[in-house]
Amino acid sequence: MRAWYFDNLPGAPGLPHDSPPSNPVTSEALATLNVRCLSIPVEGYEAKINDIARERDYKSRDTIDISRAGLGEAYEAKIKGFFQEHMHEDEEIRYVLSGGGYFDVREAPTDAWIRLALEPGDLLVLPAGIYHRLALDDAESIHLLRLFQNEPKWTAYNRGPDTEVNPERIGYLRSVGVGA
């Protein structure tokens, strides 16, 4: 999985937003944000995903087809919602089965966006409380396996004054050495 600082230039969210020269972000830098990236070949992925689910105590999973065909009339609204900066109160694990897209995560304490390019076989683990968003690449399709600790829940808390004092957000910031 390739990562770089988002260029913040105008343009569609699904463009790479990787200004020349690229400003790459290392896996070590992502680890300081508690963002974990793995590559697992799609063919025969089930055994490795099952191992990860057991290791992290994930009991539930589902798949989502984020595409015009998969979401139908809700596509435009869903795409806008996915790109809205938000956080979750649970760890988010996504494994790319097909297609591609970008997850952007906020670097703490700089508040810069880091863009991660996802393709089939990429597994991304985002900690609870990190601000992030999703954009599809130019193919406008990504099929994801989502893992959950308990029952599937997708509650997104859009960034605002309430999220700044959310216990999960505060806990996340402390875990990366920001805040008291």
Side-chain angles (χ1 to χ4, degrees), residues 4 7 18 24-25 27 35 54 56 86-87 89 108 110 115 117 122 127 142 157 161 179:
W4 60 91
D7 65 14
D18 187 10
V25 176
S27 57
V35 173
R54 271 191 301 280
R56 299 181 82 83
H86 63 278
M87 58 157 266
E89 292 181 331
T110 68
R115 177 152 275 199
D122 287 337
I142 191 168
Y157 298 93

Side-chain angles (χ1 to χ4, degrees), residues 19-171:
S19 60
S22 184
N23 190 0
V25 176
T26 65
S27 57
E28 293 81 14
L30 291 171
T32 67
L33 300 174
N34 296 332
V35 173
R36 192 168 167 214
C37 307
L38 298 170
S39 181
I40 301 167
V42 174
E43 186 164 324
Y45 74 90
E46 294 91 349
K48 182 67 176 165
I49 293 293
N50 289 341
D51 289 345
I52 291 168
R54 271 191 301 280
E55 169 189 310
R56 299 181 82 83
D57 199 28
Y58 276 72
K59 297 174 184 72
S60 183
R61 66 185 73 181
D62 72 5
T63 60
I64 183 169
D65 176 7
I66 303 173
S67 67
R68 290 185 189 282
L71 296 176
E73 292 181 14
Y75 176 79
E76 295 296 336
K78 288 285 191 184
I79 292 302
K80 285 178 185 168
F82 291 142
F83 197 67
Q84 179 80 32
E85 181 175 7
H86 63 278
M87 58 157 266
H88 301 284
E89 292 181 331
D90 295 308
E91 181 177 80
E92 183 170 339
I93 296 184
R94 302 295 184 258
Y95 176 70
V96 182
L97 295 165
S98 64
Y102 305 106
F103 264 91
D104 299 332
V105 296
R106 282 283 189 193
E107 182 180 54
T110 68
D111 222 25
W113 280 116
I114 296 173
R115 177 152 275 199
L116 299 105
L118 284 90
E119 58 187 34
D122 287 337
L123 178 105
L124 179 63
V125 181
L126 298 179
I130 192 171
Y131 289 129
H132 64 282
R133 62 189 183 187
L134 168 70
L136 298 182
D137 63 17
D138 57 0
E140 296 185 332
S141 176
I142 191 168
H143 190 187
L144 298 169
L145 173 67
R146 305 184 293 187
L147 299 163
F148 305 94
Q149 288 180 334
N150 295 302
E151 293 301 312
K153 67 179 186 179
W154 309 272
T155 305
Y157 298 93
N158 291 338
R159 187 173 187 172
D162 290 344
T163 57
E164 294 299 323
V165 296
N166 179 293
E168 291 299 330
R169 175 69 182 160
I170 292 168

